[in-house]
Amino acid sequence: MLKVGLTGGIGAGKSEVSRLLVECGAVLIDADRIAREVVAPGTPGLAAVADAFGPQVLAADGSLDRPRLGAVVFADPERLAVLNAIVHPLVGARARELEEAAAEDAVVVHDVPLLTENGLAPLYDLVIVVDARPETQLDRLVRLRGMTEEDARARMAAQATREQRLEIADIVIDNDVPLDRLRERVREVWTRLAGRAHTAPAGGRE
């Protein structure tokens, strides 16, 4: 098994790269998706969040009111740390379950938006960074996601810098290119990953 960390700045196109890797045969473990699952209605995770932050962070249907919770934690580092202490262990445990269920020769891609910020690179055999110029990121966020330029710049500024991400990269995928070029590059990378998966020792870097 080859454990790959996949990351990139907001608007860099990481989701498209993960989709293309799945087309090639990768097993995808999406940290954001798991983070939503572990606080779904009826879960111990949601109960713990409600205990920590009060019933005001719940919507009328009993689900997590993400905008309201976000307004609480992102303005207060201590409250954010409380939330992370609840959610991160649950996400980690679920990710390990999914990884253990994969085949021995699988390429397991962990899509982790904050891989750089949280110092997680050592957990993976390889780290892939999806890279795009800041101008490209800004354009995609405004044009495709409907953000205001101010909001888009603020989201970008809250993440690691482009240089910090590139420092931890074993493989860089340039996404300032047309989709056909991106698909070609991902296939090149997949060939390398699949080869490593069949030769890498179990449970660690080569």
Side-chain angles (χ1 to χ4, degrees):
M1 180 184 294
L2 188 71
K3 294 187 286 186
V4 179
L6 176 69
T7 195
I10 185 170
K14 177 174 55 62
S15 296
E16 183 64 22
V17 170
S18 66
R19 184 185 69 78
L20 292 171
L21 285 168
V22 169
E23 282 186 4
C24 290
V27 174
L28 179 65
I29 299 178
D30 185 330
D32 273 353
R33 184 177 301 169
I34 295 172
R36 291 190 293 271
E37 290 175 358
V38 299
V39 292
T43 61
L46 183 59
V49 170
D51 284 345
F53 294 94
Q56 67 270 19
V57 300
L58 298 179
D61 63 359
S63 64
L64 185 62
D65 187 330
R66 293 178 180 278
R68 187 169 293 180
L69 178 62
V72 172
V73 300
F74 291 117
D76 186 336
E78 290 185 3
R79 300 295 277 163
L80 180 59
V82 170
L83 178 63
N84 288 341
I86 295 169
V87 175
H88 285 182
L90 296 172
V91 172
R94 180 57 178 153
R96 285 190 293 274
E97 286 178 4
L98 294 171
E99 187 177 276
E100 290 167 3
E104 289 186 7
D105 61 350
V107 175
V108 179
V109 175
H110 291 260
D111 183 334
V112 186
L114 299 181
L115 189 154
T116 307
E117 292 83 346
N118 291 333
L120 302 178
L123 298 179
Y124 307 104
D125 301 314
L126 283 170
V127 172
I128 297 175
V129 170
V130 182
D131 183 53
R133 292 177 296 119
E135 308 86 76
T136 301
Q137 293 176 256
L138 183 62
D139 173 68
R140 289 171 178 162
L141 294 175
V142 172
R143 182 169 50 85
L144 301 179
R145 299 200 194 178
M147 291 186 186
T148 66
E149 183 172 333
E150 182 181 5
D151 286 346
R153 290 188 183 278
R155 292 286 298 273
M156 291 167 63
Q159 295 188 330
T161 65
R162 185 184 188 187
E163 291 73 23
Q164 288 169 330
R165 283 190 293 271
L166 293 175
E167 281 178 8
I168 66 164
D170 296 297
I171 297 173
V172 177
I173 294 179
D174 176 12
N175 197 13
D176 269 316
V177 297
L179 182 57
D180 58 342
R181 291 271 303 282
L182 178 65
R183 183 177 287 110
E184 185 177 305
R185 172 61 175 150
V186 170
R187 286 174 179 162
E188 291 173 0
V189 169
W190 173 254
T191 299
R192 175 176 172 183
L193 298 179
R196 283 280 298 266
H198 285 87
T199 59
R205 289 177 179 263
E206 290 185 353

